[in-house]
């Protein structure tokens, strides 16, 4: 007996479910798996070791500290590993207001500004951060400032940045309504993080407003509300497809900005996220729905080009 039958037997009506999305990734898949906070080559290797042990396909890893904190050798190594495994390596664009000498973004009312760029000088540094990483083969970036997104899109349109680079709108500018997600699409985003606590109905509204892939934390760290909803993956994917299913980790330390002093924690946290992905896959299998995940190297991934 299924849980839906048990609920019906109690005389309870099932909650309304939005219709499934008819959109797919270019390869026909419904979803892809992303592991965030993969802060450098050692953490990436730990992530992939856990994925191999659990039989999990990781399509994208992302990093939050900023490409600016990695050496050129580390950037090149990330690119080589990503290219070998056919996965996107998405690095946060470096200097932003949360790292600035000003204090507003570190105050209670200014926290929402942490991902913005402050002044022309920081904008210039951010552009240089992207160019430096692109030179080492990186082809994916998280962007959290609307002005920067517009500038980078312009550079890509004129050929100064390779067409294969993917701009991922960060959760720090997550759109909460259909007009906002359309704005990010116009500015050049290729995929868009949405709020992690979004309802199925709100997810359907955003999906109806754009064809862009949506990125959604099915588990988020405490500083992003700490939602734990991996068991809902089989309900979220049909409505949000094409959907990047993103596994943060509740009750884990904030790693940003990361470094060697946090290396062991970063590797352990990444491995735990892969475990969460494995559990979510079991929920998908249990649902019986024919939900398809992308294979490594699928079209549209910002796979590095070392």
């Amino acid at each position: 007996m299924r849980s839906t039958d048990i609920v019906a037997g109690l005389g309870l009506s099932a909650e309304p479910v939005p219709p499934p999305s008819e959109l797919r990734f270019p390869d026909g898949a419904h979803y892809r798996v992303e592991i965030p906070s993969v802060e450098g080559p050692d953490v990436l290797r730990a992530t992939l070791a856990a994925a191999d042990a659990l039989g999990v396909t990781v399509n994208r890893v992302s990093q939050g500290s900023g490409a600016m904190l990695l050496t050129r050798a580390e950037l090149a190594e990330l690119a080589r590993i990503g290219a070998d495994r056919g996965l996107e390596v998405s690095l946060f664009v470096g200097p932003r207001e949360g790292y600035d000498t000003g204090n507003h973004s570190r105050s209670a009312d200014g926290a929402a500004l942490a991902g913005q760029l402050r002044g022309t000088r920081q904008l210039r540094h951010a552009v240089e951060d992207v160019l430096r990483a692109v030179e080492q083969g990186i082809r994916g970036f998280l962007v959290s400032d609307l002005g920067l997104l517009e500038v980078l899109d312009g550079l890509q349109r004129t050929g100064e940045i390779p067409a294969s680079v993917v701009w991922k709108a960060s959760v720090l500018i997550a759109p909460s309504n259909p007009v906002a997600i359309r704005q990010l699409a116009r500015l050049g985003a290729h995929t868009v993080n949405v709020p992690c606590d979004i309802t199925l109905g709100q997810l359907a509204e955003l999906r109806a407003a754009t064809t862009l892939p949506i990125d959604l934390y099915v588990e988020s760290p405490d500083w992003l509300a700490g939602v734990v909803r991996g068991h809902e993956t089989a309900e979220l994917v049909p409505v949000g497809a094409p959907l990047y299913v993103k596994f943060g980790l509740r009750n884990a330390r904030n790693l940003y900005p990361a470094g060697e002093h946090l290396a062991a924690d970063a590797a352990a946290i990444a491995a735990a996220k892969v475990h969460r992905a494995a559990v979510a896959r079991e929920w998908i299998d249990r649902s019986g729905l024919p939900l398809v995940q992308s294979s490594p190297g699928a079209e549209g991934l910002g796979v590095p080009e070392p």
Side-chain angles (χ1 to χ4, degrees), residues 152-202:
L152 294 174
D153 177 61
L155 291 171
Q156 192 170 43
R157 289 178 184 275
T158 57
E160 295 168 89
I161 289 177
S164 55
V165 172
V166 173
W167 310 122
K168 171 178 164 63
S170 163
V171 71
L172 297 182
I173 50 172
S176 299
N177 64 74
V179 175
I181 200 169
R182 285 176 176 168
Q183 181 186 34
L184 288 169
R186 287 196 304 272
L187 290 174
H190 296 133
T191 77
V192 179
N193 273 278
V194 300
C196 54
D197 61 349
I198 199 166
T199 66
L200 274 177
Q202 292 163 347

Side-chain angles (χ1 to χ4, degrees), residues 44-204:
L44 178 53
R45 280 189 284 268
T47 300
L48 295 176
D52 291 342
L54 293 169
V56 172
T57 296
V58 177
N59 302 109
R60 173 200 271 168
V61 296
S62 53
Q63 176 249 20
S65 296
M68 67 174 190
L69 296 179
L70 297 171
T71 66
R72 286 180 299 172
E74 289 171 323
L75 293 170
E77 189 173 2
L78 284 171
R80 285 193 298 270
I81 297 171
D84 288 344
R85 298 294 292 250
L87 62 85
E88 179 176 323
V89 177
S90 186
L91 305 183
F92 217 119
V93 179
R96 46 200 187 266
E97 191 160 341
Y99 288 3
D100 195 66
T101 55
N103 291 324
H104 189 197
S105 67
R106 290 186 286 279
S107 66
D109 70 330
L113 304 177
Q116 295 188 18
L117 300 180
R118 191 168 186 174
T120 306
R121 186 184 186 90
Q122 202 168 73
L123 178 63
R124 177 175 61 81
H125 279 298
V127 172
E128 191 65 32
D129 196 32
V130 171
L131 297 177
R132 175 174 175 264
V134 165
E135 290 172 358
Q136 302 305 317
I138 299 299
R139 293 296 182 264
F141 295 91
L142 287 96
V143 181
S144 59
D145 182 273
L146 298 179
L148 176 63
L149 180 59
E150 182 175 348
V151 169
L152 294 174
D153 177 61
L155 291 171
Q156 192 170 43
R157 289 178 184 275
T158 57
E160 295 168 89
I161 289 177
S164 55
V165 172
V166 173
W167 310 122
K168 171 178 164 63
S170 163
V171 71
L172 297 182
I173 50 172
S176 299
N177 64 74
V179 175
I181 200 169
R182 285 176 176 168
Q183 181 186 34
L184 288 169
R186 287 196 304 272
L187 290 174
H190 296 133
T191 77
V192 179
N193 273 278
V194 300
C196 54
D197 61 349
I198 199 166
T199 66
L200 274 177
Q202 292 163 347
L203 179 61

